[in-house]
Amino acid sequence: MTRQMTGAKMVVQALKDQGVDVIFGYPGGAVLPIYDEIFQQNDIQHILVRHEQGAVHAAEGYARSTGKPGVVLVTSGPGATNAVTGIVDALMDSIPLVVLSGQVPTFMIGNDAFQEADTVGITRPCTKHNWLVRDTDKLSDTIHQAFHVATSGRPGPVLVDIPKDVQFATGTYTPKPQANISHYQPRTKGDPEAIAAMVALMETAERPIFYTGGGVINSGPEATRLVRAFVQETGFPITSTLMGLGAYPASGDKWLGMLGMHGLYEANLAMHGCDLMINIGARFDDRITGRVADFSPNSKKIHIDIDPSSINKVIRADVPIIGDVTEILTDALALWKARGSRTNTTAVAAWWKQIAQWQAVKCLSYTPDSAIIKPQYALERLEALTVGMDRYICTEVGQHQMWAAQFLGFEDPNRWMTSGGLGTMGYGMPASVGVQVAHRDALVINVAGEASWLMNMQEMGTAIQYRLPVKQFILNNERLGMVRQWQELLHGERYSHSWSEALPDFVKLAEAFGAKGIRVSDPADLDEAIREMIAYDGPVIFDCLVSKHENCFPMIPSGKPHNEMLLGEADTKGAIGSTGAVLV
Amino acid sequence: MSALNIKQGASGHSAYDLRDPNIQLIEVHTLAVLVDNEAGVLARVIGLFSGRGYNIESLTVAEVDHTGHRSRITIVTSGTPQVIEQIKRQLERMVPVHEVHDLTVEGPAVQRELALLKVVGTGDKRVEALRLADIFRANVVDSTLESFVFEITGTPEKVDAFADLMRPLGLMDVARTGVAALSRGA
Ligand SMILES: Cc1ncc(C[n+]2csc(CCOP(=O)(O)OP(=O)(O)O)c2C)c(N)n1
Ligand SMILES: [Mg+2]
């Protein structure tokens, strides 16, 4: 049964066939036929953002919190170029997105037509794959392929560029099951020999550690269950990257906390001193490894990753296992049980004793203050007053992001939305919109810095329009805090342009948008203010005035090994040499 | 092919380049990449090399299967073993890439390049050019009273050697196709 329809209708039909219920977008000349079709149906909700970057981050928040691909619709030229930052963000963090962009009609491409940009050229290195569709007969097939590529293997953003004449013309619709997807089938099953080698190493390890990443979250809830089962089965300690928080519950007794540049002392030292590292869905990012030559020098490394190019890219793996985390861990756990595997309990107990000594350092302690709100204290109170709630946390980028990762506890996957790989200021506000669209009744909080928050604050309008009660929890230090910290440590305390000058009055700003504004500066008022924020049925901008010169510790300076970590102010003098200053 | 000149430790100072500075062994590999011949596929492959800082010493591309719309891209690249491995993995994960073969490690392969060389001169030099062309089995594909265009096929080294000899004899222009390569045997 073939069906004839216009390209614009095909777009909507293909989205329906893919089970899409919401898209984030912004109209313009080159997508008007598609918007006309959107107008004439009710199955797919369209969220009108205020800036195309916001649309992409909102779609990321939606995707990250649901496990489904996020869908974005933008117009040609400036619509597409505005989306680029979000697309790269999704590429770096492996978030499945399908971005549909309008393009000038095929017969005008290359003529510098009004609002023409070489969108596929610009986004070629920013997407997992992209397509320019020149023929309406190929449009629906391409959209189905786009969903397949975005969600198969290592997820990522894809883009389909659709010229306006292709939207107007009539062609044959290809239903989803007939789409041509056979050529892209990444391997998901792990090599049994490698899995056997992994199990054997785990049986004899004396100082083992699980190091998990965003790949566990991307693999789905079953992967999380399997990771937890393996930890339970072995009693091994577990740490996670920023992207992987929630795979193992923060309240679990084997949890060491996050690792990396601002990770916990015990997590980093355990990584440095382990004899077996079991990397599940993480990619040895430079925020994790520090100086590569000194990274975990005495360990055997197992590396599970669905992307073969992650293997041996930075750190050589002794046992690489390519495939999907869920499939590999299913096989590994089955083998573990079939062999009646046991761990080296005496050695592992001694290892835990060593870890307990590192934990006793209490690396997250800070100097409390009764007059000024410390950012760490604000997050401790936020955690205490929201723990156990149906809660989703987004962040912007900076010190507040690292403190949120350190001080908030994640019990489940898909509850933590942050820009890790690209570190995009302005991610959190629109991401919170996307999360709330997917989880209408949940408590969605964006832990923000005042500078980052201003980068996409226009999306407050979107939150108001769609009655999304997102809570913007701004840790306002009136500084580009993370930049200020680096300038203090690396650039002789010359604070070049790291002030947030001329800030708006956030309470009045909230009111101007039609939201609620709350300001708090006295630690004694904090709890009450947080309760008020949670109780309010609508969007809130929470302006939390915090100490201005707090530094984020622990910190492994760029280019240093894990065992040269700075724990507090006392450690910082002359800590970073001139070679370290070259690194980011 | 130009020799690579990488200073000891030069790559160790940037977080953008995390390769181990102690591995100095630079290898030259010939890769055969089978791709869908779709719009932009060559830009994708070249963009991968420039974006990630890999070397391209030579690159050839043409459709080799007109019904299946498959093109074969032959790339000569150089790098440490770790970088070569990365290049292959990065190529393999691209959606329009079907196969990646490293002809340098997958057993013996034949490599050929075609070059056209214009040599301008008279008298003894002209005679010498013709004599050397004969030794190298180069063909004369165009001639005037004071010039020849030679066509030579062979390994890049052979083409280099021939071009070196022609230089003092009046070499004016060279056009090279880049390497085409196939594995030997069945
Ligand atoms: C789009 C973008 N521009 C610049 C940076 C560099 N940068 C990283 S953190 C930071 C300061 C963030 O300030 P704020 O949002 O107030 O957070 P704080 O560190 O003060 O908690 C800057 C400028 C970035 N990450 N993203
Ligand atoms: Mg700030």
Side-chain angles (χ1 to χ4, degrees):
Chain A
M1 189 193 74
T2 57
R3 289 162 71 194
Q4 298 289 307
M5 61 181 85
T6 65
K9 207 176 186 69
M10 269 183 200
V11 170
V12 173
Q13 187 59 47
L15 294 180
K16 284 184 194 169
D17 283 4
Q18 289 289 340
V20 173
D21 48 21
V22 57
I23 65 177
F24 301 88
Y26 208 90
V31 281
L32 285 179
I34 299 173
Y35 271 87
D36 206 13
E37 291 299 331
I38 288 172
F39 188 83
Q40 299 175 47
Q41 55 86 48
N42 286 318
D43 296 336
I44 298 172
Q45 190 191 10
H46 176 273
I47 303 287
L48 177 70
V49 294
R50 300 299 186 264
H51 184 292
E52 289 86 351
Q53 185 187 354
V56 185
H57 292 322
E60 286 186 273
Y62 177 90
R64 192 84 187 160
S65 67
T66 59
K68 296 197 279 185
V71 183
V72 176
L73 176 60
V74 297
T75 192
S76 65
T81 55
N82 271 350
V84 167
T85 302
I87 295 174
V88 182
D89 192 90
L91 184 71
M92 292 290 272
D93 286 343
S94 307
I95 310 295
L97 292 186
V98 176
V99 180
L100 307 173
S101 55
Q103 183 54 278
V104 302
T106 47
F107 51 86
M108 293 178 85
I109 289 177
N111 284 337
D112 299 321
F114 178 63
Q115 296 198 325
E116 178 181 359
D118 176 8
T119 302
V120 284
I122 290 167
T123 60
R124 199 173 283 131
C126 311
T127 50
K128 206 176 153 186
H129 197 64
N130 62 14
W131 296 262
L132 169 65
V133 182
R134 291 173 171 277
D135 178 355
T136 306
D137 278 331
K138 295 201 174 127
L139 179 56
S140 48
D141 184 60
T142 306
I143 294 173
H144 295 311
Q145 280 187 48
F147 274 88
H148 173 72
V149 171
T151 54
S152 310
R154 180 177 178 171
V158 299
L159 180 140
V160 184
D161 203 24
I162 313 171
K164 198 171 181 180
D165 56 335
V166 174
Q167 299 170 34
F168 272 126
T170 300
T172 307
Y173 182 78
T174 309
K176 183 180 167 190
Q178 268 120 275
N180 174 24
I181 54 161
S182 57
H183 63 293
Y184 185 72
Q185 297 293 344
R187 163 182 186 167
T188 55
K189 197 138 178 80
D191 170 20
E193 269 179 45
I195 291 172
M198 163 179 169
V199 167
L201 282 171
M202 288 170 68
E203 286 168 351
T204 53
E206 298 182 355
R207 300 185 309 282
I209 187 166
F210 286 107
Y211 150 44
T212 60
V216 178
I217 316 281
N218 276 334
S219 183
E222 181 61 10
T224 298
R225 206 192 57 73
L226 287 160
V227 164
R228 293 173 184 205
F230 244 122
V231 174
Q232 170 83 30
E233 194 73 26
T234 58
F236 293 171
I238 176 167
T239 180
S240 160
T241 66
L242 182 73
M243 300 312 294
L245 295 177
Y248 185 80
S251 60
D253 62 341
K254 302 293 182 278
W255 176 237
L256 299 189
M258 179 177 80
L259 82 161
M261 182 175 269
H262 292 288
L264 272 70
Y265 184 69
E266 48 269 42
N268 284 326
L269 285 198
M271 286 286 280
H272 190 78
C274 68
D275 73 344
L276 179 66
M277 180 183 294
I278 308 153
N279 173 343
I280 310 178
R283 61 183 175 90
F284 294 111
D285 177 79
D286 56 78
R287 301 295 92 166
I288 299 305
T289 59
R291 190 197 296 162
V292 171
D294 297 314
F295 176 70
S296 192
N298 301 314
S299 59
K300 283 242 184 304
K301 295 169 186 81
I302 296 166
H303 189 177
I304 298 175
D305 204 303
I306 199 157
D307 179 359
S309 77
S310 291
I311 308 278
N312 295 339
K313 181 172 66 180
V314 180
I315 298 291
R316 194 148 271 283
D318 299 285
V319 182
I321 314 179
I322 295 163
D324 175 42
V325 170
T326 303
E327 293 199 27
I328 290 167
L329 291 190
T330 303
D331 292 351
L333 197 60
L335 183 64
W336 180 271
K337 293 198 166 141
R339 277 167 62 124
S341 295
R342 296 255 176 88
T343 59
N344 183 342
T345 41
T346 354
V348 173
W351 176 227
W352 270 110
K353 263 207 187 104
Q354 165 69 73
I355 290 171
Q357 282 173 15
W358 291 327
Q359 287 171 322
V361 168
K362 301 242 169 292
C363 68
L364 292 184
S365 50
Y366 60 93
T367 322
D369 199 307
S370 58
I372 316 167
I373 301 177
K374 288 283 180 123
Q376 300 95 324
Y377 178 71
L379 288 166
E380 276 178 345
R381 295 317 302 157
L382 184 70
E383 171 74 4
L385 296 170
T386 60
V387 74
M389 291 182 179
D390 181 14
R391 182 188 80 175
Y392 292 82
I393 302 285
C394 303
T395 76
E396 303 286 349
V397 170
Q399 291 180 315
H400 62 277
Q401 176 190 28
M402 293 297 114
W403 281 316
Q406 292 172 343
F407 287 89
L408 303 180
F410 298 95
E411 296 297 306
D412 292 302
N414 306 100
R415 298 270 172 171
W416 165 245
M417 274 47 63
T418 195
S419 170
L422 197 63
T424 311
M425 291 171 69
Y427 166 88
M429 165 68 243
S432 69
V433 165
V435 174
Q436 191 88 68
V437 165
H439 310 277
R440 287 275 170 178
D441 300 324
L443 174 63
V444 180
I445 303 172
N446 176 33
V447 176
E450 80 295 338
S452 297
W453 192 81
L454 290 174
M455 283 207 176
N456 271 324
M457 66 164 206
Q458 75 284 349
E459 301 307 329
M460 276 308 282
T462 313
I464 297 289
Q465 179 179 343
Y466 295 95
R467 301 183 194 288
L468 304 168
V470 290
K471 314 300 183 204
Q472 304 302 314
F473 192 77
I474 302 177
L475 294 174
N476 183 353
N477 52 10
E478 298 176 12
R479 299 289 181 277
L480 313 185
M482 191 57 95
V483 171
R484 196 209 61 79
Q485 176 167 347
W486 280 58
Q487 288 171 338
E488 180 186 332
L489 299 178
L490 288 143
H491 294 273
E493 300 176 54
R494 291 179 297 280
Y495 298 119
S496 182
H497 298 273
S498 53
W499 260 265
S500 287
E501 293 275 11
L503 283 172
D505 178 328
F506 284 105
V507 173
K508 283 194 187 145
L509 186 66
E511 285 159 8
F513 272 112
K516 182 180 180 63
I518 301 174
R519 177 173 300 117
V520 57
S521 58
D522 186 338
D525 301 334
L526 184 60
D527 278 21
E528 201 36 52
I530 291 176
R531 284 200 192 93
E532 191 186 346
M533 172 185 88
I534 298 167
Y536 184 71
D537 182 20
V540 176
I541 300 178
F542 190 98
D543 185 16
C544 187
L545 300 178
V546 297
S547 52
K548 301 184 198 307
H549 294 154
E550 197 71 18
N551 283 332
C552 183
F553 292 113
M555 175 177 185
I556 303 174
S558 286
K560 295 275 183 177
H562 282 175
N563 55 353
E564 290 182 37
M565 200 178 322
L566 312 179
L567 283 177
E569 297 297 344
D571 292 340
T572 59
K573 292 295 158 243
I576 307 177
S578 52
T579 47
V582 181
L583 300 168
V584 289
Chain B
M1 275 171 287
S2 60
L4 277 169
N5 183 13
I6 293 178
K7 273 203 273 151
Q8 177 81 27
S11 61
H13 295 298
S14 164
Y16 294 109
D17 188 351
L18 290 162
R19 286 157 212 153
D20 186 346
N22 301 318
I23 301 176
Q24 286 297 306
L25 199 64
I26 300 291
E27 298 176 354
V28 177
H29 283 238
T30 304
L31 307 178
V33 188
L34 284 168
V35 300
D36 286 324
N37 185 16
E38 61 184 32
V41 68
L42 187 59
R44 252 176 242 288
V45 170
I46 291 173
L48 171 73
F49 276 74
S50 63
R52 292 187 184 262
Y54 306 143
N55 298 310
I56 298 180
E57 308 217 339
S58 139
L59 182 142
T60 62
V61 56
E63 190 169 84
V64 290
D65 172 359
H66 297 306
T67 44
H69 301 292
R70 293 284 169 84
S71 290
R72 184 178 176 105
I73 304 178
T74 308
I75 307 171
V76 180
T77 184
S78 62
T80 62
Q82 192 185 2
V83 168
I84 301 280
E85 188 186 329
Q86 259 299 297
I87 292 173
K88 289 188 268 182
R89 299 293 96 80
Q90 292 288 353
L91 284 168
E92 278 162 358
R93 73 204 277 259
M94 302 180 93
V95 175
V97 170
H98 291 262
E99 289 171 40
V100 178
H101 294 284
D102 184 340
L103 297 175
T104 306
V105 299
E106 285 180 11
V110 281
Q111 297 204 13
R112 287 293 179 271
E113 184 177 13
L114 184 143
L116 299 173
L117 299 92
K118 182 177 288 180
V119 179
V120 177
T122 50
D124 284 353
K125 287 192 172 173
R126 185 173 162 81
V127 175
E128 182 61 6
L130 203 56
R131 201 180 67 81
L132 288 167
D134 194 37
I135 293 170
F136 275 78
R137 296 175 211 277
N139 297 322
V140 177
V141 291
D142 176 65
S143 96
T144 66
L145 289 177
E146 62 269 12
S147 71
F148 289 120
V149 174
F150 294 115
E151 173 206 303
I152 183 168
T153 314
T155 62
E157 291 75 17
K158 178 178 168 185
V159 175
D160 282 345
F162 186 61
D164 281 348
L165 288 170
M166 287 300 121
R167 203 154 286 124
L169 301 179
L171 182 66
M172 299 299 286
D173 257 330
V174 184
R176 300 174 70 148
T177 58
V179 171
L182 280 182
S183 61
R184 287 180 190 269

